[in-house]
Structures are given as C-alpha cells and as structure tokens.
Amino acid sequence: MARVSTPHQLNLKLKSRLIHAPRIQTLFRYCSTTQDPKPEPGSKSESITPDKNDTFNAAATETETETSSGPPQEQQQQEQQQTKEGTHHKKTPEKIENLIARMMSSRAWTTRLQNSIRSLVPEFDHSLVYNVLHAAYNSEHALQFYRWVERSGLFQHDRSTNMLIIERLGRASKLNHARCILLDLPQKGAEWDEDMFVLLIDAYGRAGIVQESVKLFNKMKELGIERSIKSYDILFKVILRRGRYMMAKRYFNHMIEEGIQPTRHTYNVMLWGFFLSLKFDTAQRFYEDMKSRGILPDVVTYNTMIHGYCRFKKMEEAEKVFVEMKGKNLVPTVITYTTMIKAYVGVEKYDDALRMFDEMKSNGINPNDVTYTTLVPGLCDAGKLAEAGKVLNEMVQKHVAPKDNSIFMKLLIGQCKAGDLNAAADVLKAMMRLSIPTESGHYGILIEHFCKANEFDRAVKLLDKLVAKEIVLRPQNSVEIEASAYIPIIQYLCDNGQTGKAETFFRQLMKKGVLDSSPFNNLICGHAKEGNPDSGFEILKIMGKRGVPKDSDSYKLLIESYLRKGEPADAKTALDSMIEDGHVVDSSIFRSVMEGLFEDGRVQTASRVMKSMIEKNVKENMDLVAKIVEALFIRGHVDEAIGRAELLMQNGCALDFDSLLSVLCDKNKTIAALKLLDFCIERDYSVDFSSYYKVLDALLAGGKTLNAYALLCKIMEKGGVTDWKSSDDLITSLCQEGNTKQADVLSRMIKGGDITLEKKKKKKTPISV
C-alpha cells in the first residue's frame, strides 16, 4: 500500500510546490475559472471526506497571497477595495477532487494529464482517491482514474473504493468492467464480500440480464461467499421483476433448506412479485405463511396486499385489509389512500373515491400528484365536473403539478361538453399557474367550443396568444389542434376582415403538415373580399404546389376581386387557372372577364377568353362576342378576327355578317371588309345583296378599283347579280387608271358577251341570300 502522508506534511509539501511552480499555479487558476461540464445522469459530484481538501485549499490560498502580494501601499489599496466590494465577492477555492474531476472531463486521458494530476497531488491517500471516484463526472472518468492510481502504484484500493467503482459502473451499465474488477480482487490481494456481489446482481437485474444475476448468485456459493438473506432478497427482486415467479419459489425453498429465515422485507418482495405476475392465489398463500411464522405485516405489506386486491378488483378484500391495517394502529400512507382511490375509480365507485379522498385529508395526509392524477379523470368520466374543479383548485393552491398532463385535457373536454366555458378557461389558467406547458391541443378545445357558442371574441383572444407564442410550432406538443377548432375560427376571421391574422395562423399549421382545403379556400375568399386578390392568388399557388383541391367559389370571388380592383389581366390569369383545374365556368364569369378586358382596351386578350368560352361550349354572351370580333377587325387584327368568326360558325354561333360589313364600310375599313366578304363568299355564308353593294361602293370610293374589280368578278362567278349601279363608274375608273384590259373584261361580263363565262356561271351555285 502506498505511504499515507499526514495532513500537516501534505500541507507543507503542497505549499512548497505551489510557491516554486508557477506553471501549476496557472493550471490551478485556469481550472478554477473554467465552467464545469455537465456530469452524466446519476453521477455524484460532492465529496464525502473534505479534510484533506481543506488543507489543500488553505495551502493554495496562502500561496496565491504570497505570490500576488506587492508593496505595502498596493496591499493596503487592495484591502480597501476588497472591503468596499464586500466579502460576498470572494471566490471560494475549489476542492482538489472537484478540480481533478473537471480536469478529467475537459481533457483527454493522456500521460500529460496524468502528470498534471501528479503535480497537483504528490501523495494519494484513501480520502482523496475515494472523493475523486465519487466526484468524477461520469463512470468512464472514474474507471480511468481507478485503474491509473492502481497500475501506477500510487494507491492500493480497499473495500470502500472497490465498492464505489462497482456501484458506479453498475449504474452506468458498464457491467463487464464491474464484473472483471469484482472477480479479479483476490489476485490483487483484496477480499470480496457479499455486499459487492449484491451490488452487481442488482445492476444486472436493472439492465434486464436476469440470467447473469442468477449466475453471480450461484457463483457466490462456488467461491465460498456466505449468502445471507440480503443476497436472497436482491435475487427475488431481480427475478420477480421479470415475472419469473416459479424460479422465485424454487429459490425461496432453497433458502429455507439452507436454514435462512425470511424477513418481513423478503415477504414484501415476494408478495409484490406475485401480484405483478398476476398470481393471486400464490400471493395469498405467502401472506398466510408470513403470518404463520409470526412475522407481523408492516405498512409496506398492507400497501402491497391492498394494491394486489385492487388490481384484481376485489374491493371487499381490499377494504378488509385496509380496516385491519388501521385496527393494528398502522397509519395508512399516501400510497395506501391513492391505491384505494384508484381502485374505486376503476370500479366506477366515484362517491367512495371522494370519501376516501376526504378521509385522507382529514387524517392530515396530503395528496400527491399521483392522487390527483388518479381522482380527477374519474370524476370527469362520472360527470362530477364541479367536484373535479374543486380538486383542481386545491392542486393550484398547494402547487402540486401532476406528471401526467392528460388530466387537463380530460377536464377541458368535460367542462366544454357540459357547457361551462368559464370553468374550462380556468383549467387553462390553472395549467399556467402550475407552470405546466400549454399545448396547441388545449387551446384548440377552447377555441372550438367558443366558436360553437358564438363567443368569437374570446376565441380570437386565445388565438392571438397561440400565434404570438408560436405554440403550434413547438416540437414537444403531444396534443395538436384539431380541424374542428381551426376551421371555424379561420372562417370567422376571413368573413370579418381579419384574413391576414387567419393566414398567419394557418401558415404555422402548414409547417406542421396541415393541408385541409377548407382553410385554404376561406383564405382566398377572405383576401378577395378585402380587396387583396394578389394574396389570394399566392394561396392558390401554394395549393397547386401541394396538391390541395381548389374550390370554384374561391376562384369566382378571386376573379371578381381582380375586376373590382381594375386588374382584368390578372382576372384572366385566375380564370385560366380555374379552367386548367377542370372547374365548370359559368357564362357570367366569362362575360365579366371579357367585359373587363374589353373596356380596358385589351381586345386580343378578350378574344382569347372568348375562344376559351366557345371551346367550353358556352354559347351565351353573343352580343359581347360580336363587339369583340368587330373591334379586332377595326384594330387591324383581321386574320385573328376571321379565325374567331370561323370558330364561332363551326360551333353553331352565327354572326351578323351584314351588320359587321356595314360597320367596317362606315369606318372606312375597306380592306377588312373585303377580306371578311371574301371569307363569306368562299364558305357560302349568307350575305345580303346590299352588303355586297356597300363593300363595292366603299372600295370604289376609296380608289381601290382593282380590289373592287376582283370582288365583283368573284360575285359574278358565284352567280351573283350584275345590276350594280356603279358598274359603269368602276369601268370608267379602270380605264382612267390604265387598266383597260380589266375594264374590257368587266364590260363584257356585265353585258353578257363572254360565252365561256356564261357557261361557268351555269355550273356555279348561286350565293345564298
């Protein structure tokens, strides 16, 4: 074993080393100002024996004073400054074991770190080693330190340090390391005992490796380690936790054969395990055996029996045991009463549960969170909402926050269904007072029922809190807001000029994957009504990207909003999207869009809408169609106009060509009139004589004699009349322009001199009138 120094010797050595080792002083100050890393769950960080460390701290403090002292004047100024600042600003020096633990956590386990620790502590005694193992932030650091001091010959471990490392490794599930340390102890000259095996048996049991626990228990006998009731008790606990009641019975019989008498604790473990395995009769026999051996039940025994009876819904037997317990002057605990309350709730004896709850408080036993969690849902199921509300108020007054937050959802739903919305709102307030995180589902229940009760103002206030705190987006939400809550409130907001607020809320819902079509369409309608069609169209785009079906009414409102805003081109875009989505477009929508475009001077765009309308077999709005075709001709889009005219005729929509020709002639659009009349002649469409004459007169008046000549020839080839009164004027004009050949041909055609032409006339079908 390493030589152990006295505290006085260690103090002098540390003081001398710290004075003459500035590097160690720097290391000490650095480690003292570095933030502690977070230890692993279940680890211990406080020391048990601080004697040696206090000596080290005194030495370190004295060394700092010596090395930092300056001239007397400066020392006096420092003292005055410290007096002004007060003693509460002084930093307490760090204990050596905490310093070493933090060094191990912040640096890799290397030779350099080991040398640093040696420099800090030249001599390692039991107190220091034990405290470092205890203060290490995790089991890995503890194991490294344990092996290092042993292999380096700095310290020879004793029973307490071996027990501590086995316990820490067992809690961290490093079971192989713990097993090796335990079984290797004799080779290191150390002795093992029953307590060490008990620690490891329990560790394997908590890890669910029951077979290893049993092997260790049996190995104790092979190694000559005496097994007492302590070993058997931990074995029973391990194997019964996994439901192996038959194995427990066998080892119980072995224990009796070995002459080891069971204790009250043994029977308590056995009863607990048998009830856990649903072996009611076996538990009854062991309970009777316990009493036959003269072992008096304690509070734990009675609690176990009551819980077992309640688990099998044997309330009469449970009540008898409860009465027996009180008759033996054993005071029932909060566990006893909570078990009885839970059992009464389970068999729907809610009045008895309340009676037990009142008796519990009258006997000075305060209910805990499990008691409240057990009672409140039962009262809600029984419709005893007033009593449930009183219990909730009691929880708030005593500030008892349950671990199971589902009771609040139960209360909210119950109070809302009962129509007591004020009480339901109080439940939400109670959650806040108990510092229980409220979730979107809790707000949703209230919002839904506020909307059903037409208390929309209260619903909107709740929604404002929900949106402002972004509760919907919290990843830890276990209860999400339902569609029955967000659909009506979004519809209300959109119908009442608050679509922007509704969209902010729904965008949060979309981040959680909500894609209901109803809120989307409500938002579009709301934006359209409020004169924000662009925002509505953005919602339409989102719906398209996410594959959400769109409502035709939403499209209609959006189109109307664009038209009211004087943006017919955007209305046409929305109309195209509506058609692409396969919606049936009403003739009134087509008319509205065409009128808007026409009045805005967008004749060609209106023409395209007209084309879509005709292709969809909508044959209304012909008066507007005629205006659009006429405007196309007048604006010089003759080919497009003729194309639309042909489309109309193919779909059975007749145009008034005579009126159209008359307008074109009146407005001196002679070429347009000529092309239109050519189109009618080629397709044998019905045109009145007067229209021919009017076009010919317009051409002649406009000096387009050759065009008039060509048109007249076509008319006569089709068998048309030749009594045009301006024929002589046309012949004269042709002669004057030097077109004598055309004038001669026309003259002979009119006077009937060309026999060949006459024969062709007989073969042609006359132009229909």
Side-chain angles (χ1 to χ4, degrees):
M1 179 180 291
R3 181 171 62 86
V4 180
S5 302
T6 63
H8 179 67
Q9 292 172 337
L10 179 61
N11 186 9
L12 292 177
K13 290 179 180 179
L14 288 174
K15 179 177 178 181
S16 176
R17 181 173 290 276
L18 288 171
I19 292 173
H20 299 290
R23 184 175 61 84
I24 303 301
Q25 294 178 29
T26 305
L27 174 65
F28 176 76
R29 290 196 186 99
Y30 167 75
C31 296
S32 300
T33 55
T34 306
Q35 186 177 359
D36 290 349
K38 187 176 181 181
E40 68 178 14
S43 66
K44 301 177 182 178
S45 59
E46 296 182 358
S47 62
I48 295 178
T49 56
D51 300 337
K52 177 176 183 300
N53 305 311
D54 293 342
T55 303
F56 173 80
N57 292 335
T61 305
E62 185 177 353
T63 303
E64 286 185 349
T65 304
E66 291 179 3
T67 56
S68 62
S69 60
Q73 185 177 1
E74 293 180 3
Q75 293 183 18
Q76 185 177 3
Q77 291 177 355
Q78 291 177 359
E79 292 175 359
Q80 292 176 356
Q81 183 65 25
Q82 291 176 358
T83 303
K84 291 179 181 179
E85 292 177 355
T87 57
H88 63 279
H89 290 295
K90 294 181 179 179
K91 182 176 179 63
T92 304
E94 189 174 20
K95 294 181 179 180
I96 184 62
E97 62 267 19
N98 294 336
L99 175 60
I100 294 174
R102 188 146 49 83
M103 289 171 64
M104 291 191 297
S105 68
S106 59
R107 296 168 57 182
W109 185 256
T110 60
T111 304
R112 185 175 181 181
L113 175 59
Q114 296 167 12
N115 293 335
S116 299
I117 296 175
R118 283 194 184 192
S119 300
L120 285 174
V121 187
E123 300 290 340
F124 290 82
D125 63 1
H126 171 270
S127 174
L128 176 64
V129 172
Y130 188 93
N131 286 340
V132 172
L133 291 176
H134 189 271
Y137 290 156
N138 58 54
S139 59
E140 184 66 29
H141 298 159
L143 179 61
Q144 289 170 344
F145 183 80
Y146 173 89
R147 288 175 172 169
W148 173 63
V149 295
E150 181 182 49
R151 293 171 180 173
S152 302
L154 300 173
F155 181 77
Q156 184 174 350
H157 293 291
D158 58 9
R159 180 182 184 276
S160 60
T161 55
N162 287 326
M163 285 279 289
L164 179 57
I165 193 63
I166 291 173
E167 180 184 3
R168 290 211 62 176
L169 292 173
R171 290 185 179 277
S173 297
K174 298 182 182 297
L175 302 174
N176 288 336
H177 291 298
R179 186 189 184 99
C180 291
I181 289 174
L182 175 61
L183 297 181
D184 290 345
L185 287 179
Q187 300 176 10
K188 302 174 183 178
E191 297 180 356
W192 51 34
D193 57 25
E194 182 186 18
D195 291 339
M196 296 180 182
F197 279 88
V198 167
L199 282 175
L200 197 52
I201 289 170
D202 183 42
Y204 272 112
R206 281 186 280 104
I209 312 174
V210 179
Q211 62 273 20
E212 290 298 326
S213 296
V214 176
K215 287 179 183 179
L216 276 175
F217 179 80
N218 293 330
K219 197 171 187 63
M220 291 174 68
K221 188 175 182 179
E222 298 175 10
L223 298 173
I225 300 172
E226 184 178 355
R227 299 181 301 195
S228 68
I229 190 63
K230 184 190 300 183
S231 302
Y232 275 100
D233 284 349
I234 197 65
L235 179 67
F236 293 146
K237 182 179 178 182
V238 167
I239 58 182
L240 284 170
R241 185 188 287 128
R242 292 291 171 176
R244 301 187 179 184
Y245 64 94
M246 292 299 295
M247 182 186 292
K249 289 169 66 176
R250 287 198 303 270
Y251 276 98
F252 185 85
N253 293 332
H254 292 327
M255 181 184 72
I256 300 297
E257 292 172 0
E258 291 178 6
I260 301 174
Q261 295 301 315
T263 63
R264 183 187 294 113
H265 177 68
T266 307
Y267 277 105
N268 287 342
V269 172
M270 297 297 286
L271 292 172
W272 164 78
F274 290 136
F275 280 124
L276 186 66
S277 301
L278 301 178
K279 297 301 174 183
F280 179 80
D281 295 334
T282 307
Q284 281 278 69
R285 286 197 302 271
F286 267 76
Y287 181 60
E288 296 300 327
D289 182 63
M290 174 185 180
K291 293 191 289 186
S292 67
R293 290 178 182 271
I295 301 175
L296 297 178
D298 62 357
V299 173
V300 177
T301 312
Y302 281 115
N303 285 346
T304 305
M305 292 301 297
I306 290 172
H307 181 269
Y309 284 128
C310 293
R311 190 170 188 179
F312 285 91
K313 299 189 182 300
K314 295 182 179 293
M315 292 307 301
E316 293 184 4
E317 289 84 348
E319 290 169 350
K320 289 179 182 178
V321 174
F322 184 72
V323 173
E324 178 186 333
M325 178 183 183
K326 292 191 290 185
K328 293 186 178 181
N329 295 324
L330 292 174
V331 179
T333 63
V334 63
I335 297 175
T336 313
Y337 280 107
T338 301
T339 303
M340 292 295 293
I341 291 170
K342 183 177 181 180
Y344 282 128
V345 170
V347 296
E348 298 182 357
K349 292 185 177 181
Y350 304 108
D351 292 333
D352 290 331
L354 281 173
R355 174 180 57 80
M356 194 63 64
F357 183 69
D358 293 335
E359 178 185 327
M360 174 185 186
K361 293 188 292 183
S362 64
N363 290 335
I365 300 174
N366 292 322
N368 59 16
D369 63 304
V370 180
T371 311
Y372 291 117
T373 305
T374 301
L375 181 60
V376 171
L379 296 176
C380 293
D381 291 336
K384 296 180 178 293
L385 297 171
E387 291 82 353
K390 292 179 182 178
V391 174
L392 177 64
N393 292 333
E394 183 179 318
M395 290 172 62
V396 174
Q397 291 173 2
K398 296 181 178 180
H399 207 273
V400 178
K403 295 178 182 178
D404 182 8
N405 296 338
S406 63
I407 66 169
F408 296 103
M409 180 61 75
K410 198 98 173 177
L411 267 171
L412 280 168
I413 294 174
Q415 298 288 13
C416 288
K417 287 184 177 180
D420 193 349
L421 298 181
N422 292 327
D426 291 338
V427 173
L428 199 64
K429 294 176 182 177
M431 293 179 67
M432 297 176 183
R433 292 182 61 184
L434 291 172
S435 301
I436 295 172
T438 53
E439 301 181 11
S440 60
H442 300 128
Y443 282 89
I445 294 295
L446 283 171
I447 290 173
E448 175 185 351
H449 287 84
F450 278 142
C451 291
K452 288 181 179 178
N454 291 325
E455 296 188 25
F456 290 104
D457 292 340
R458 300 180 69 180
V460 171
K461 288 181 181 179
L462 279 177
L463 182 68
D464 290 340
K465 295 179 181 178
L466 186 68
V467 173
K469 297 179 181 179
E470 295 187 344
I471 297 175
V472 173
L473 301 178
R474 291 177 182 173
Q476 64 269 28
N477 282 344
S478 60
V479 185
E480 301 290 351
I481 187 169
E482 299 289 338
S484 56
Y486 61 74
I487 287 178
I489 189 63
I490 289 176
Q491 183 176 357
Y492 170 79
L493 292 172
C494 293
D495 290 342
N496 290 271
Q498 301 181 63
T499 308
K501 181 183 292 186
E503 182 175 349
T504 302
F505 170 51
F506 191 64
R507 283 186 179 273
Q508 292 183 359
L509 291 176
M510 282 194 287
K511 292 179 181 179
K512 299 291 287 186
V514 175
L515 295 174
D516 284 347
S517 60
S518 178
F520 276 111
N521 289 303
N522 283 327
L523 289 173
I524 295 171
C525 295
H527 282 307
K529 291 177 182 177
E530 294 172 22
N532 300 314
D534 290 335
S535 300
F537 200 72
E538 286 297 322
I539 300 295
L540 268 178
K541 292 179 181 178
I542 295 173
M543 294 175 74
K545 291 177 181 178
R546 303 196 180 189
V548 180
K550 306 162 193 173
D551 188 15
S552 59
D553 290 338
S554 302
Y555 274 113
K556 185 175 180 180
L557 289 172
L558 190 60
I559 291 169
E560 291 175 353
S561 178
Y562 272 124
L563 293 173
R564 284 196 302 270
K565 198 175 179 181
E567 297 175 357
D570 293 327
K572 192 260 182 187
T573 304
L575 176 62
D576 292 340
S577 179
M578 183 179 184
I579 294 172
E580 288 175 6
D581 287 340
H583 291 290
V584 177
V585 183
D586 187 69
S587 61
S588 60
I589 298 177
F590 279 116
R591 185 178 187 90
S592 299
V593 176
M594 288 190 295
E595 282 181 343
L597 292 168
F598 187 78
E599 292 171 359
D600 196 45
R602 302 173 183 267
V603 178
Q604 286 184 288
T605 308
S607 168
R608 288 192 283 272
V609 175
M610 179 191 74
K611 179 176 180 292
S612 300
M613 180 185 73
I614 299 301
E615 290 174 347
K616 292 295 178 182
N617 203 29
V618 177
K619 299 181 179 180
E620 291 84 357
N621 309 318
M622 287 298 107
D623 56 332
L624 182 59
V625 168
K627 291 182 180 179
I628 294 172
V629 173
E630 177 184 321
L632 287 173
F633 276 112
I634 292 174
R635 293 195 176 200
H637 307 299
V638 178
D639 293 337
E640 182 179 350
I642 290 175
R644 298 292 183 260
E646 185 171 10
L647 177 67
L648 287 167
M649 299 301 290
Q650 288 175 353
N651 285 272
C653 302
L655 272 176
D656 188 354
F657 291 110
D658 295 312
S659 175
L660 189 55
L661 288 168
S662 177
V663 170
L664 293 175
C665 291
D666 292 341
K667 294 190 176 183
N668 294 323
K669 300 294 180 180
T670 53
I671 299 300
L674 175 61
K675 289 184 177 181
L676 176 59
L677 191 55
D678 284 340
F679 166 75
C680 294
I681 294 172
E682 289 174 1
R683 287 161 178 75
D684 292 333
Y685 292 148
S686 176
V687 177
D688 193 72
F689 292 129
S690 59
S691 298
Y692 292 115
Y693 297 153
K694 194 160 190 175
V695 173
L696 288 170
D697 288 337
L699 290 171
L700 183 59
K704 298 179 175 58
T705 54
L706 289 176
N707 295 114
Y709 163 76
L711 176 60
L712 186 57
C713 290
K714 287 182 181 179
I715 295 173
M716 297 181 70
E717 286 179 359
K718 289 283 186 179
V721 294
T722 57
D723 57 349
W724 178 40
K725 60 182 180 179
S726 300
S727 300
D728 294 337
D729 297 335
L730 176 58
I731 294 171
T732 303
S733 297
L734 287 170
C735 292
Q736 290 175 353
E737 293 175 4
N739 298 314
T740 54
K741 184 178 180 180
Q742 288 81 358
D744 183 56
V745 171
L746 179 60
S747 177
R748 285 188 284 111
M749 288 175 61
I750 292 173
K751 295 179 180 179
D754 195 332
I755 301 172
T756 304
L757 184 60
E758 289 296 332
K759 290 180 180 179
K760 290 181 181 180
K761 286 182 184 179
K762 293 179 182 179
K763 295 178 182 179
K764 298 291 182 180
T765 303
I767 297 175
S768 60
V769 179

